[in-house]
Amino acid sequence: PSPIHGQGLFAAEPLSPGQLIGVYDGPVVEEDGAHVLWIENEAGDGWTGFDGRNEMRFLNHSDEPNAEMDGLHCYSLARIPRGAEITIDYGWNDA
């Protein structure tokens, strides 16, 4: 359980800045859902949704995230201690 929302993703071991945490995995979808990650295409003129099927789907939002997505890959932004929740910025304020 996460103190932020529902389930969360927590570090099983300490993570170093820039370390690969995991790869978001799931089928391509056209509709939004609870665990859909939207990735902007390389041309910057469209988005592709991926419906998470692995543990990465439990990443929660933070205005001060400790990780970031690069496509489907998630990397730590800072040292993340064992047991800490891993968070990303969902980009809600980017619009």
Side-chain angles (χ1 to χ4, degrees):
S2 167
I4 297 172
H5 174 78
Q7 296 295 316
L9 182 67
F10 296 85
E13 61 187 51
L15 300 168
S16 301
Q19 185 173 344
L20 176 66
I21 296 170
V23 180
Y24 205 90
D25 185 42
V28 173
V29 294
E30 294 183 14
E31 294 183 16
D32 205 8
H35 300 291
V36 175
L37 175 69
W38 292 95
I39 303 291
E40 190 171 16
N41 65 23
E42 288 185 28
D45 61 358
W47 297 83
T48 302
F50 295 86
D51 192 5
R53 297 288 192 243
N54 64 359
E55 66 278 353
M56 299 300 291
R57 73 184 183 272
F58 298 121
L59 286 164
N60 280 320
H61 168 79
S62 173
D63 288 334
E64 296 180 11
N66 56 14
E68 68 180 347
M69 298 301 296
D70 183 5
L72 295 172
H73 295 80
C74 183
Y75 295 93
S76 58
L77 290 171
R79 184 183 178 286
I80 302 174
R82 180 177 188 218
E85 185 165 4
I86 300 167
T87 59
I88 60 173
D89 181 345
Y90 286 180
W92 292 329
N93 297 323
D94 294 346

